């Protein structure tokens, strides 16, 4: 079924970004996988080519085009290339953290931060999760206590994407530790602030090129001018309002990764023979691939409608949760079935399907687990 989401401008953009990926990411990906981190130059090169801050107003150096279809193209092309881990930092920068700055920064903050964000000289990260609390953000213990014109920040975060590379870190803190949701605020911590330390670059099952780190804060003095929003206590509301876009971004990448795995596997089963015939000619192979192709088609069209809804300002938390839950579970199913069709070769890391299998497992966890997505959907049903 033909997709109708994209127009000619988006396809021209796709061609340009595909060339960028082939030139600037693919040749370096194996090294970044070994090193556990991408080069900072990836961000500055992306910025120089107009692939960062597409929706940032031109006043601050951005593209001035608030159209999430361009973000979707970036995610799809990264997944098509198999560069899930290397590209995750770019999509986090554009899709997940930047919206907080656009929505909640003062004019002074925008002038201070956005030009560097667009150029890639200021890499973005967001720190919500803490050791031991998982999805229960209201139970966080990182505090920011007012002291004149500064906050004194103490605490720790973990599983932070772009944790090593990020220069500007949006950190969820408790400005009123006596409160749960109402005591949360968002502060921007900057590289070089005394007491703001990066811990381990965590050794993960997959997504090896993505720097995922532990952070610690010991009496970090953060100017009150780095508070996001007009007053304290709005952090939980700010997080909730931006989560639908974050979850849609993950869903787009998930279904694109599933499509890539299917395409690679179709090529494999047509060439690999067993018992004198291509394994794709066996009924089981046909039925498995027919099922996966159908489900991917359906998921693509649902996600496309979610992108349209986001652009219209109508994407709900429930619909975004449905997209995130369904597409990440589908991604896991597809890469597992496709690996099975590769036989023993699928378990060898030299085959792309093995890397896709390892990279896919986290998508059902980050951005809100599948279980949390179902909880959101269930509440939407009045349950």
């Amino acid at each position: 079924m033909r997709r109708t989401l994209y127009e000619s401008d988006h396809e021209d953009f796709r061609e340009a970004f595909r060339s960028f990926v082939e030139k600037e990411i693919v040749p370096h990906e194996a090294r970044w996988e070994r090193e556990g981190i991408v080069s900072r130059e990836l961000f500055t090169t992306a910025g120089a080519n107009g692939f960062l801050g597409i929706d940032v107003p031109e006043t601050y150096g951005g593209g001035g085009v608030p159209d999430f279809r361009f973000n979707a193209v970036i995610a799809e092309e990264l997944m098509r290339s198999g560069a899930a881990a290397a590209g995750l930092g770019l999509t986090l920068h554009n899709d997940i953290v930047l919206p907080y700055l656009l929505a909640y920064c003062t004019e002074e903050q925008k002038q201070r931060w956005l030009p560097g964000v667009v150029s890639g000289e200021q890499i973005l990260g967001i720190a919500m999760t803490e050791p031991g609390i998982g999805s229960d953000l209201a139970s966080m213990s990182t505090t920011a206590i007012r002291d004149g014109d500064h906050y004194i920040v103490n605490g720790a975060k973990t599983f932070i994407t772009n944790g090593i590379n990020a220069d500007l870190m949006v950190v969820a803190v408790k400005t009123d530790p006596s409160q749960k949701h109402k005591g949360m605020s968002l502060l921007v911590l900057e590289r070089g602030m005394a007491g703001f330390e990066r811990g381990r670059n965590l050794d993960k099952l997959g997504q090896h090129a993505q720097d995922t780190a532990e952070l610690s804060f010991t009496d970090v003095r953060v100017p009150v001018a780095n508070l996001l929003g007009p007053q304290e206590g709005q952090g939980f509301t700010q997080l909730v309002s931006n989560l639908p876009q974050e979850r849609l971004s993950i869903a787009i990448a998930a279904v694109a990764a599933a499509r890539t795995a299917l395409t690679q596997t179709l090529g494999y089963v047509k060439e690999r023979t067993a018992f004198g015939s291509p394994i794709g000619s066996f009924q089981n192979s046909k039925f498995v691939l027919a099922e996966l192709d159908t489900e991917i088609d359906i998921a693509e069209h649902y996600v496309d409608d979610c992108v349209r809804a986001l652009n219209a300002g109508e994407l709900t938390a429930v619909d975004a949760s449905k997209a995130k839950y369904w597409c990440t579970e589908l991604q896991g199913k597809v890469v597992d079935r496709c690996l099975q069709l590769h036989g023993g070769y699928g378990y060898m890391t030299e085959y792309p399907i093995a890397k896709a299998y390892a990279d896919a497992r986290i998508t059902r966890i980050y951005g809100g687990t599948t279980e949390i997505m179902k909880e959101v959907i269930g509440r939407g049903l009045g349950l």
Side-chain angles (χ1 to χ4, degrees):
M1 199 174 220
R2 187 172 67 90
R3 297 173 69 189
T4 60
L5 179 65
Y6 299 114
E7 300 173 7
S8 59
D9 287 351
H10 305 104
E11 296 304 338
D12 291 342
F13 182 83
R14 183 187 303 278
E15 184 177 344
F17 188 71
R18 182 174 294 184
S19 296
F20 172 83
V21 170
E22 294 298 326
K23 179 181 178 182
E24 304 293 344
I25 294 181
V26 172
H28 309 292
E29 188 190 16
R31 173 170 58 86
W32 291 339
E33 287 274 308
R34 292 192 302 270
E35 295 174 352
I37 191 169
V38 302
S39 168
R40 290 181 59 88
E41 283 72 31
L42 173 61
F43 289 86
T44 52
T45 306
N49 283 274
F51 299 130
L52 299 180
I54 299 161
D55 50 347
V56 171
E58 294 179 7
T59 307
Y60 311 106
V65 183
D67 181 350
F68 200 73
R69 289 177 291 181
F70 290 104
N71 302 57
V73 166
I74 288 176
E76 289 178 350
E77 288 304 307
L78 288 168
M79 296 306 105
R80 185 198 63 81
S81 73
L88 183 59
L90 296 177
T91 56
L92 180 105
H93 183 99
N94 274 335
D95 300 2
I96 296 173
V97 190
L98 180 54
Y100 289 94
L101 303 187
L102 291 174
Y104 305 117
C105 276
T106 64
E107 180 59 32
E108 184 275 332
Q109 289 171 332
K110 289 179 179 178
Q111 292 181 9
R112 183 153 47 108
W113 291 326
L114 289 182
V117 169
V118 172
S119 70
E121 295 168 298
Q122 297 280 344
I123 299 171
L124 298 178
I126 187 165
M128 292 186 274
T129 305
E130 294 186 2
I133 71 166
S135 299
D136 185 13
L137 294 180
S139 296
M140 71 175 59
S141 58
T142 298
T143 58
I145 305 303
R146 183 79 178 258
D147 179 29
D149 292 334
H150 290 79
Y151 291 101
I152 309 300
V153 179
N154 284 281
K157 302 288 183 179
T158 193
F159 307 141
I160 307 306
T161 305
N162 283 357
I164 302 297
N165 269 335
D167 303 288
L168 301 176
M169 186 69 68
V170 176
V171 182
V173 297
K174 283 287 185 72
T175 45
D176 184 353
S178 69
Q179 300 289 321
K180 293 197 75 174
H181 299 89
K182 293 181 179 179
M184 293 173 57
S185 301
L186 299 182
L187 285 179
V188 177
L189 273 64
E190 302 178 56
R191 179 180 293 278
M193 287 182 168
F196 175 16
E197 301 293 338
R198 325 283 169 130
R200 294 182 299 149
N201 188 358
L202 299 170
D203 187 12
K204 307 183 295 296
L205 171 68
Q207 303 276 4
H208 296 302
Q210 175 56 59
D211 54 314
T212 306
E214 298 171 325
L215 309 178
S216 65
F217 316 107
T218 305
D219 295 330
V220 185
R221 295 185 64 83
V222 181
V224 172
N226 282 27
L227 176 72
L228 287 184
Q231 61 189 36
E232 297 175 5
Q234 298 184 334
F236 187 78
T237 301
Q238 292 166 337
L239 290 171
V240 168
S241 66
N242 280 278
L243 281 174
Q245 178 166 310
E246 174 177 347
R247 288 166 178 167
L248 176 57
S249 174
I250 295 169
I252 292 166
V255 73
R259 174 64 72 190
T260 297
L262 177 65
T263 300
Q264 292 170 344
T265 303
L266 282 169
Y268 180 82
V269 300
K270 290 174 182 177
E271 295 178 0
R272 177 88 165 96
T273 60
F275 306 105
S277 300
I279 61 175
S281 67
F282 302 154
Q283 187 182 68
N284 177 69
S285 301
K286 290 179 183 178
F287 282 10
V288 167
L289 294 169
E291 176 184 330
L292 299 181
D293 187 49
T294 300
E295 293 187 18
I296 292 169
D297 268 354
I298 292 168
E300 283 175 341
H301 285 278
Y302 182 79
V303 166
D304 286 355
D305 272 353
C306 285
V307 172
R308 294 185 183 97
L310 179 68
N311 275 352
E314 298 172 354
L315 181 65
T316 67
V318 169
D319 287 343
S321 295
K322 290 177 180 178
K324 200 272 181 184
Y325 141 58
W326 183 263
C327 292
T328 57
E329 291 288 338
L330 177 62
Q331 178 188 11
K333 173 182 176 179
V334 169
V335 295
D336 183 70
R337 299 279 182 88
C338 287
L339 189 151
Q340 186 74 15
L341 289 173
H342 279 73
Y345 292 101
Y347 202 64
M348 302 297 108
T349 55
E350 64 191 87
Y351 279 75
I353 193 64
K355 180 174 178 293
Y357 182 87
D359 285 348
R361 188 58 187 89
I362 188 59
T363 66
R364 286 170 270 173
I365 298 173
Y366 64 31
T369 64
T370 290
E371 293 74 21
I372 292 295
M373 298 304 95
K374 291 179 179 179
E375 179 68 22
V376 173
I377 297 163
R379 290 177 183 175
L381 296 172
L383 302 175

